[in-house]
Amino acid sequence: MKIGVFDSGVGGKAVADAISSALPEHEIVLKQDEEHVPYGTKSPKHIYDFISPIFQQMIDDGCQVIVVACNTVTTTLIDKIRENFNVPFVAVEPMVKPAAEMTKSGVIAVCATPATLNSDRYNWLKNEYAKHVKVLEPDCSDWALMIEDNKIDREKIENRTTEVLAQNADVIVLACTHFHWIEDQIKELAQNKATVIQPEKPLIEQLKRVLAQL
Ligand code: DGL
């Protein structure tokens, strides 16, 4: 089957790689929006205008399912996307629920773009599943671009991570797929203090369920 994978940028490659090693029998069509990345500092209206022709093109190219490998797109637009495009979508979203279930200290940290943190969907997730825990939202507003441009500032990542650890966070949620590329550094800093989670595995499980129904 042809599986479309979309992200604004290099986060999509991480997700596409994970999917193709788990499901090598399928063809992956990866699309990134090099012209408009980063999305996390843009409005949902602009983001919708960017993604619309790309999703249409993927459908026209024969993709039978589209993976939204971008938390920013999911949290701001997934309902509108599902309404307007006639193909199943499997989408990453911030793992607030599992983090809230896992925490023992009662503090979790969500690393995400500004658009994700401002979205109704993310705030609904927090209200629904994380009312009883403290949710830290470290400033990661320029991380996606820094990773996209391959200009990784290790000190900045270290500072943000150390701050949330100092505030007792014992689960760190990577809620932007670009952060896959700095996951190892964050895990190393968090060693023995916090668990770092990201959505590739549950996404693949969901994708398998959707593929089985096609
Ligand atoms: N990789 C995207 C995400 O998961 C967004 C990065 C960006 O374009 O700002 O949120």
Side-chain angles (χ1 to χ4, degrees):
M1 243 174 268
K2 234 183 195 182
I3 303 171
V5 177
F6 174 78
D7 179 41
S8 58
V10 296
K13 173 150 178 32
V15 175
D17 288 351
I19 295 171
S20 56
S21 56
L23 301 166
E25 66 278 25
H26 297 291
E27 184 187 343
I28 312 287
V29 178
L30 171 63
K31 295 267 187 241
Q32 295 164 276
D33 186 358
E34 280 110 8
E35 204 185 325
H36 302 110
V37 65
Y39 279 6
T41 48
K42 299 188 173 78
S43 73
K45 193 204 165 303
H46 283 122
I47 298 171
Y48 190 75
D49 291 343
F50 302 149
I51 59 173
S52 258
I54 301 175
F55 286 172
Q56 193 53 54
Q57 186 65 55
M58 287 169 123
I59 294 167
D60 294 346
D61 289 348
C63 292
Q64 285 145 294
V65 54
I66 294 178
V67 174
V68 180
C70 180
N71 292 266
T72 304
V73 170
T74 309
T75 54
T76 55
L77 290 162
I78 195 65
D79 291 342
K80 190 170 178 183
I81 291 166
R82 289 197 165 116
E83 261 166 43
N84 288 299
F85 295 93
N86 195 17
V87 73
F89 286 89
V90 176
V92 289
E93 74 174 359
M95 298 173 81
V96 172
K97 185 181 182 205
E101 285 167 359
M102 279 169 77
T103 181
K104 294 203 168 54
S105 67
V107 185
I108 67 171
V110 178
C111 301
T113 66
T116 294
L117 296 178
N118 285 328
S119 68
D120 289 347
R121 174 77 191 161
Y122 170 70
N123 284 289
W124 181 85
L125 286 172
K126 263 200 322 188
N127 246 325
E128 188 73 10
Y129 301 114
K131 261 208 159 124
H132 59 293
V133 305
K134 186 170 175 189
V135 182
L136 306 175
E137 292 160 354
D139 179 8
C140 306
S141 51
D142 56 356
W143 285 16
L145 188 60
M146 160 181 100
I147 293 163
E148 186 71 26
D149 290 345
N150 204 12
K151 291 189 181 128
I152 295 176
D153 180 344
R154 299 198 151 262
E155 204 179 312
K156 189 179 276 180
I157 298 162
E158 183 171 346
N159 290 340
R160 293 286 171 283
T161 309
T162 331
E163 273 162 34
V164 298
L165 294 171
Q167 290 174 78
N168 233 3
D170 65 352
V171 186
I172 299 177
V173 180
L174 302 186
C176 169
T177 51
H178 275 65
F179 302 167
H180 166 96
W181 302 106
I182 54 170
E183 184 178 350
D184 286 348
Q185 189 195 352
I186 297 177
K187 276 188 169 157
E188 205 171 296
L189 293 161
Q191 235 176 25
N192 308 322
K193 295 186 198 109
T195 308
V196 180
I197 61 172
Q198 51 97 325
E200 281 165 18
K201 274 201 190 125
L203 175 87
I204 289 166
E205 290 313 309
Q206 177 60 14
L207 178 59
K208 282 184 190 163
R209 285 191 283 271
V210 169
L211 289 170
Q213 284 166 13
L214 291 177

